Amino acid sequence: MVKALHELKTADYRVDAFDVARIRRDFPILHQRVHGKPLVYLDNAATTQKPQAVIDAVGRYYSTDNANVHRGVHLLSQRATDAYEGARVTVQNFINAAESCEVIYVRGTTEAINLVAQTYGRKSVGAGDEIVITAMDHHSNIVPWQMLCDEKGAKLRVAPINDAGELLLDEYERLLTPKTKLVAIPHVSNALGTVNPVKRLVELAHARGVPVLVDGAQAAPHLKIDVQDLNCDFYAFSSHKVFGPTGFGVLYGKKALLEKMPPYQGGGDMILSVSFEKTVYNALPYKFEAGTPHIAGAVGLAQAIHYLLGVGFDAIMGYEAGLLAYATETIAALPGVKIIGTAKEKAGVISFVMDNAHAHDVGTILDQEGVAIRTGHHCAMPLMKRFGVPATARASLALYNTKEEIDTLAAAILKVREVFG
Amino acid sequence: MSDLRDLYQETILDHNKRPRNFKKLENANRSADGYNPLCGDKVKVYLRVEDGRVQDLSFEGSGCAISKASASVMTESLKGKSVEEVESIFKRFRDLVMGKAEEADDLGKLVVFSGVCEFPTRVKCATLAWHALQAALQDTKEAVSTE
Ligand SMILES: Cc1ncc(COP(=O)(O)O)c(C=O)c1O
């Protein structure tokens, strides 16, 4: 049974029991020095590193199976198609979708959201309608809706958050009106680490007949995802943030909705028959997958999922909760450092600012110590404004990070104090 | 290995903490904004240009130590210079922070930014205020255009 993150007690932290040394051996990139120091990779919210198994699977695909999918009678095309469609079933099981045709392959979270905006959105949203997002959304869950609203004369409504970075449920509920045509929310905030109560947010929206899109980019590497339990209508995530290849991702959608939606792009693979008079669109999921896809991306993502399931999400969540608690305690105790985002339910992210040093300077000094973090607005400029900071420094965790790395991070932060006082 | 002390020289830390000419220039007749979306650095440069000379200049904004100190030292270094001199100093300053300068002796205090060339991700920070300055200079309107 997976516990809510805040329910985990120190005794539950499996930081010591979890064999992180073994995990680290699976990730070749981690074993290098940068600026003469061992690499401490804490920029996992930007992108994650790849286990050897994923690197090998992609290499093997190109070395032995490469062909185009869905269009050849020859053996290689069959093998490529099997790998590609097999990956869809792996993804289906990973997020517990009811059917594999509900798994649409896309380039990533960004494209998944744009797809919904351009198909479902354009069809269902009209003048005077409203779309509800949150104050903690990533630009990729803001701009596509803004573009749609501009086009349709609709209005974007933003559910506010408290100073801890938690969504204000009452305010959210108040924004849901008969004008609301769609809710789009992040499962986990990339800049704060807040885990939103998605199931509850979906219930509240559904009670008013409003469908919900969940941006799962930051949830997929940390949490067990069950789209049927969440009961969301759409769920988006990126392969590269779950230890798979870049340029690939998934849009999950409920079949009944997907079937009613117009296609996204026109081209090969998305059609059943084409004449110059009329084209008949293909069935799900192909209706949304025009053109030759990123086949190796699907192969790599499936391998990454197998890898994660092999480690086990209960183990991963337990370990990461402990590591995050340790990191939070360690960093909060440093002088002149303030953590931005202190929600009760958090995953993977510690954003912070320092009294005397701008985030960008923090990033440079940490880099010299071998510590890779992200600094800046994290594609969440409205959120930075909400907290009154131009930028933050963000350390983001993955299952291969260690307590020792957190100690290195803390020592590097003290170096910043040495330089800037 | 590049040394942090080469980047964060005392003068830079000092100008970061106590930026000079850090205000709105009331009698400015040119101004321009600079923005570095990568790290959120924002700067506004004010100029009073008369008879082809930068009679006075100042800046406002927020940013990292490198961009703030660079703006501050820039305002100190350029007061009273002709527009042609400013262009030439900017060119040499840019070469300096990009590691292309042969020698930098004549750049005066600006040489404290020589360490930036070891940190390619920070070149934009060091040149932000200068780009804003250039935009302000190229603005041909004589009256204050931006508030
Ligand atoms: C919360 C969130 N949503 C969306 C995205 C966009 O993902 P991608 O760039 O892979 O499309 C990101 C990645 O930065 C993210 O963190």
Side-chain angles (χ1 to χ4, degrees):
Chain A
M1 182 56 207
V2 181
K3 294 187 182 183
L5 296 181
H6 74 268
E7 287 171 357
L8 286 162
K9 301 280 175 323
T10 311
D12 296 325
Y13 296 169
R14 282 170 254 170
V15 175
D16 299 315
F18 190 81
D19 193 354
V20 69
R22 206 206 75 213
I23 302 269
R24 291 181 69 79
R25 282 199 292 278
D26 297 332
F27 291 81
I29 204 169
L30 299 178
H31 309 284
Q32 64 175 302
R33 300 175 87 81
V34 296
H35 303 302
K37 308 274 170 59
L39 170 67
V40 173
Y41 187 77
L42 293 171
D43 195 17
N44 294 289
T47 197
T48 53
Q49 301 303 347
K50 320 306 172 200
Q52 191 64 50
V54 168
I55 299 167
D56 289 348
V58 172
R60 202 178 323 114
Y61 167 75
Y62 281 125
S63 304
T64 64
D65 300 335
N66 179 55
N68 212 327
V69 291
H70 303 141
R71 30 188 108 161
V73 289
H74 59 80
L75 182 63
L76 290 192
S77 176
Q78 258 173 51
R79 274 202 231 136
T81 305
D82 288 349
Y84 184 70
E85 290 305 326
R88 204 185 301 272
V89 177
T90 301
V91 172
Q92 177 201 346
N93 295 330
F94 178 57
I95 59 174
N96 194 32
E99 296 184 50
S100 67
C101 71
E102 297 179 317
V103 173
I104 314 289
Y105 289 151
V106 289
R107 278 194 297 133
T109 307
T110 303
E111 188 176 48
I113 296 170
N114 277 281
L115 188 158
V116 176
Q118 291 301 314
T119 58
Y120 184 84
R122 286 179 85 174
K123 195 171 167 188
S124 320
V125 177
D129 288 341
E130 295 183 351
I131 294 170
V132 172
I133 61 170
T134 76
M136 68 178 97
D137 270 297
H138 187 279
H139 294 165
S140 67
N141 204 28
I142 301 174
V143 183
W145 306 119
Q146 234 162 17
M147 289 164 64
L148 178 66
C149 288
D150 279 352
E151 180 188 323
K152 296 289 184 178
K155 200 164 170 206
L156 199 61
R157 305 301 302 267
V158 183
I161 57 176
N162 63 20
D163 290 340
E166 294 163 324
L167 200 64
L168 296 169
L169 279 184
D170 291 350
E171 302 282 333
Y172 165 78
E173 199 173 353
R174 205 164 306 143
L175 289 178
L176 301 170
T177 71
K179 289 185 194 159
T180 316
K181 285 294 170 309
L182 189 84
V183 165
I185 49 173
H187 196 165
V188 174
S189 151
N190 69 305
L192 303 174
T194 308
V195 181
N196 283 311
V198 168
K199 197 171 168 173
R200 180 80 190 120
L201 299 177
V202 170
E203 273 170 17
L204 290 169
H206 282 183
R208 291 148 181 92
V210 179
V212 179
L213 174 140
V214 181
D215 169 358
Q218 296 297 339
H222 303 297
L223 308 177
K224 195 182 266 180
I225 291 158
D226 184 335
V227 290
Q228 292 187 74
D229 181 54
L230 295 174
N231 200 18
C232 57
D233 301 275
F234 301 103
Y235 197 98
F237 70 96
S238 299
S239 157
H240 73 99
K241 293 192 202 276
V242 280
F243 314 99
T246 54
F248 194 71
V250 167
L251 170 68
Y252 157 82
K254 280 185 180 163
K255 190 176 173 184
L257 277 173
L258 292 175
E259 276 176 340
K260 276 190 256 159
M261 283 153 55
Y264 176 45
Q265 294 176 328
D269 260 352
M270 56 78 72
I271 48 83
L272 275 185
S273 71
V274 176
S275 71
F276 287 115
E277 289 70 41
K278 183 167 174 58
T279 290
V280 181
Y281 302 131
N282 205 338
L284 292 177
Y286 311 111
K287 181 168 96 177
F288 295 104
E289 296 179 0
T292 300
H294 185 9
I295 307 164
V299 169
L301 172 60
Q303 193 64 51
I305 291 172
H306 286 306
Y307 180 85
L308 284 175
L309 297 179
V311 179
F313 262 93
D314 288 352
I316 294 171
M317 288 170 68
Y319 177 73
E320 288 190 356
L323 195 62
L324 182 63
Y326 180 76
T328 304
E329 245 168 62
T330 307
I331 292 171
L334 298 172
V337 179
K338 182 171 164 226
I339 293 180
I340 305 278
T342 49
K344 209 150 134 201
E345 298 282 349
K346 275 185 72 170
V349 168
I350 298 182
S351 255
F352 61 94
V353 291
M354 295 184 71
D355 282 351
N356 298 325
H358 186 278
H360 210 191
D361 297 308
V362 176
T364 291
I365 296 176
L366 265 52
D367 179 50
Q368 291 297 302
E369 299 298 310
V371 180
I373 60 157
R374 167 99 184 257
T375 65
H377 53 60
H378 316 295
C379 298
M381 287 167 77
L383 184 65
M384 297 293 112
K385 200 168 161 198
R386 162 69 178 76
F387 281 96
V389 294
T392 75
R394 178 188 71 185
S396 53
L397 310 175
L399 75 167
Y400 41 62
N401 290 123
T402 67
K403 271 174 138 174
E404 291 70 30
E405 289 183 311
I406 301 302
D407 294 339
T408 306
L409 166 67
I413 292 174
L414 289 177
K415 263 261 163 58
V416 177
R417 300 260 313 165
E418 262 174 48
V419 175
F420 281 91
Chain B
M1 199 188 108
S2 35
D3 192 342
L4 278 176
R5 288 286 165 192
D6 290 343
L7 180 64
Y8 295 111
Q9 298 191 24
E10 277 312 320
T11 309
I12 293 182
L13 294 174
D14 175 52
H15 276 259
N16 173 49
K17 226 179 219 165
R18 297 186 302 116
R20 322 294 200 270
N21 305 306
F22 188 57
K23 58 177 183 207
K24 182 174 176 194
L25 193 64
E26 288 306 336
N27 60 354
N29 55 6
R30 311 274 178 89
S31 73
D33 293 301
Y35 178 52
N36 180 354
L38 213 65
C39 52
D41 289 347
K42 266 187 196 145
V43 66
K44 189 179 191 85
V45 173
Y46 299 92
L47 302 176
R48 170 138 204 94
V49 183
E50 275 167 357
D51 310 326
R53 259 177 210 287
V54 176
Q55 304 292 0
D56 202 359
L57 71 170
S58 73
F59 80 104
E60 286 181 318
S62 69
C64 65
I66 304 299
S67 79
K68 212 161 163 189
S70 163
S72 173
V73 177
M74 177 187 85
T75 57
E76 275 195 335
S77 309
L78 299 183
K79 212 170 278 190
K81 299 272 194 256
S82 73
V83 172
E84 291 75 41
E85 283 171 315
V86 168
E87 296 284 352
S88 145
I89 295 171
F90 180 26
K91 189 180 171 307
R92 277 178 292 151
F93 178 75
R94 201 162 37 191
D95 286 348
L96 174 78
V97 296
M98 292 174 73
K100 290 193 218 151
E102 306 275 298
E103 48 160 308
D105 297 349
D106 57 343
L107 274 175
K109 205 189 251 179
L110 291 167
V111 295
V112 297
F113 293 96
S114 60
V116 172
C117 69
E118 297 290 331
F119 298 81
T121 58
R122 307 306 297 275
V123 170
K124 277 193 179 144
C125 310
T127 53
L128 179 65
W130 290 83
H131 284 293
L133 169 90
Q134 206 174 35
L137 279 177
Q138 281 161 4
D139 174 8
T140 48
K141 277 173 286 176
E142 287 294 315
V144 182
S145 57
T146 26
E147 261 317 309

